[in-house]
Amino acid sequence: MAFNIVTKNTVAERFKYAPRPDVWKDVESKDWNNWIWQQQKRVKSFEQLEKVVNVTQEEREAFQATNESFNMGITPYYASLMDKDDPNCPIRLQSVPNKAELNILEGDMEDPLAEERDMPVQGITHRYPDRVLFYTTHNCPVYCRHCTRKRKVADPSSSAANKQIEDGLAYIEAHKEIRDVVISGGDPLSNSDDRLEYILSRLRALDHVEVFRIGTRNLVTLPQRITDNLASIIKKYHPAFIHTHFNHPKECTREAFDACAKLADAGCVINNQMVLLKGINDDPKIVKELNHKLLMMRVRPYYIFQCDLSQGISHFRTPIESGINIIEHLRGWTSGMAVPHYVIDAPGGGGKIPVLPNYVVKHEGKKWVLRNFKKDQFEYIEP
Ligand SMILES: *Cc1c(COP(=O)(O)O)cnc(C)c1O
Ligand code: SF4
């Protein structure tokens, strides 16, 4: 059989590097591609933001009104993805303050998922029988305006001190039913490589811990953080899963592609947890494009989260119907691999509840009437 051997995989070339806005035009590549440089040069003041995009009066007022309660912080890399002129650019909406954040609705809650209530020790949320969330830092490279943990993130007083890490590890060690640890934050990759390795090695030393996940948005906001050294550390402690948070196809750059490749080549399974956000991704076409790009990046769409009831994010919330509509437009119409679970994290700590379009038309005794993605009906008779 004759065939042409592909000597070069060109999928990477379908992904474009982030553009370099004028303010950072003269930065040397070795700095730009260095995560510590990116971290140190984060856009935190309005004067800095004005040099990157044409800000609006609204954004100025929103910054002044919100900066004390929830800081702005944007890596130059993520800021470079912003549209200079469009305040409704999905990157801008996710990272630049908005006046709507000041609206606190009656139903809004400080801790809608009751993560503090289900906290047996500081730093651990234990809600499900066999797995826990483990908070290891309060810091993130970009402070997402829709963050569900606004109450903690960016607040240095809630920083995970060494004692909190030790208490968390001791709790996991004492609870033999825990087989899955979700390492979270903030963003756990804000920890140094050494600290992260310390946590991973301590977890891996426990016989009852089977898998862990690193819940990080660095692939989206600071892909430079995925260094060879980091990948080689994670590789030592497999099975390691990476849970990340891409929300829009604009975030699927060549930098992000390369970061995912490094982790996937190191043997990590990467899953994506998108948050459904009004005006950003509440459109089946956008989610389909995002999920197709993610699959090319070796990232599997895992969850779509309904936006929760945290304070000051009501402007991002969509009707639940939007989420159902997205699944309706994915299932059957594209690869099953591109169809995540749409879930609502129940207010009050009920956990994640899946919501689906209704595919069962009728069920009587042994007869089930089902409908497919094209709404054609079929009968299935049980034996
Ligand atoms: C989301 C979450 C998990 C992990 O849930 P999976 O459905 O297994 O991904 C674990 N603990 C808490 C408190 C969570 O919110
Ligand atoms: S990266 Fe995650 S924890 Fe950090 S601000 Fe964004 S949504 Fe919140």
Side-chain angles (χ1 to χ4, degrees), residues 113 115 125-128 131-133 149 180 182 213 243 273 302-303 305 345 352:
L113 310 180
E115 288 177 331
T125 297
H126 195 176
R127 165 162 314 144
Y128 296 105
R131 56 207 188 281
V132 290
L133 278 185
R149 295 205 190 111
D180 175 4
V182 184
R213 338 179 191 179
H243 279 225
Q273 309 192 153
Y302 177 67
Y303 278 144
F305 285 120
D345 217 332
K352 298 177 182 70

Side-chain angles (χ1 to χ4, degrees), residues 41-262:
K41 301 292 175 186
R42 290 195 307 164
V43 177
K44 288 175 159 172
S45 72
F46 208 74
E47 292 66 46
Q48 289 171 298
L49 183 65
E50 278 178 314
K51 294 191 184 134
V52 188
V53 293
N54 296 318
V55 296
T56 63
Q57 185 56 25
E58 274 253 285
E59 285 172 325
R60 182 186 309 277
E61 290 168 20
F63 175 85
Q64 285 158 355
T66 61
N67 202 45
E68 203 169 307
S69 53
F70 189 61
N71 291 342
M72 180 174 79
I74 313 169
T75 54
Y77 162 79
Y78 197 65
S80 74
L81 302 179
M82 290 180 187
D83 186 304
K84 221 166 165 335
D85 298 309
D86 178 11
N88 292 321
C89 150
I91 307 297
R92 254 162 102 160
L93 289 177
Q94 289 185 73
S95 55
V96 175
N98 190 297
K99 268 172 110 177
E101 292 171 33
L102 300 171
N103 303 335
I104 311 286
L105 304 191
E106 213 171 296
D108 285 2
M109 297 183 244
E110 199 180 28
D111 176 22
L113 310 180
E115 288 177 331
E116 314 277 338
R117 189 198 63 198
D118 290 345
M119 224 172 231
V121 295
Q122 269 301 313
I124 293 273
T125 297
H126 195 176
R127 165 162 314 144
Y128 296 105
D130 64 346
R131 56 207 188 281
V132 290
L133 278 185
F134 183 18
Y135 306 94
T136 59
T137 165
H138 68 281
N139 204 9
C140 303
V142 170
Y143 295 124
C144 312
R145 306 316 295 183
H146 57 275
C147 181
T148 197
R149 295 205 190 111
K150 274 188 173 175
R151 67 183 188 282
K152 289 185 107 103
V153 162
D155 169 13
S157 71
S158 76
S159 162
N162 284 335
K163 176 171 182 326
Q164 183 177 318
I165 303 261
E166 291 306 320
D167 289 352
L169 290 168
Y171 180 87
I172 296 166
E173 184 166 9
H175 288 260
K176 310 288 185 224
E177 71 275 21
I178 299 170
R179 40 162 290 287
D180 175 4
V181 178
V182 184
I183 305 169
S184 180
D187 198 310
L189 294 190
S190 294
N191 289 304
S192 67
D193 285 2
D194 285 350
R195 185 149 143 135
L196 200 67
E197 176 151 31
Y198 173 74
I199 295 168
L200 300 188
S201 65
R202 285 283 310 271
L203 290 174
R204 195 36 90 215
L206 303 175
D207 281 341
H208 57 286
V209 172
E210 297 174 1
V211 295
F212 55 78
R213 338 179 191 179
I214 298 174
T216 176
R217 207 175 187 212
N218 271 257
L219 291 168
V220 184
T221 55
L222 182 60
Q224 296 79 6
R225 176 70 185 89
I226 314 304
T227 57
D228 291 334
N229 190 53
L230 178 70
S232 72
I233 289 173
I234 297 173
K235 195 174 175 177
K236 285 191 257 175
Y237 301 99
H238 277 317
F241 291 71
I242 307 289
H243 279 225
T244 191
H245 175 181
F246 285 89
N247 283 334
H248 193 277
K250 260 190 115 167
E251 297 168 337
C252 300
T253 61
R254 177 64 186 271
E255 286 91 336
F257 181 97
D258 290 345
C260 292
K262 218 165 250 184

Side-chain angles (χ1 to χ4, degrees), residues 265-303:
D265 286 347
C268 294
V269 175
I270 313 174
N271 289 310
N272 190 56
Q273 309 192 153
M274 183 192 109
V275 179
L276 184 54
L277 299 169
K278 194 199 277 175
I280 294 177
N281 56 19
D282 56 341
D283 172 349
K285 277 203 296 295
I286 296 210
V287 180
K288 199 196 240 183
E289 184 189 345
L290 171 67
N291 290 356
H292 288 172
K293 289 197 158 143
L294 290 175
L295 289 179
M296 285 191 279
M297 294 160 72
R298 292 188 273 172
V299 177
R300 168 78 154 88
Y302 177 67
Y303 278 144

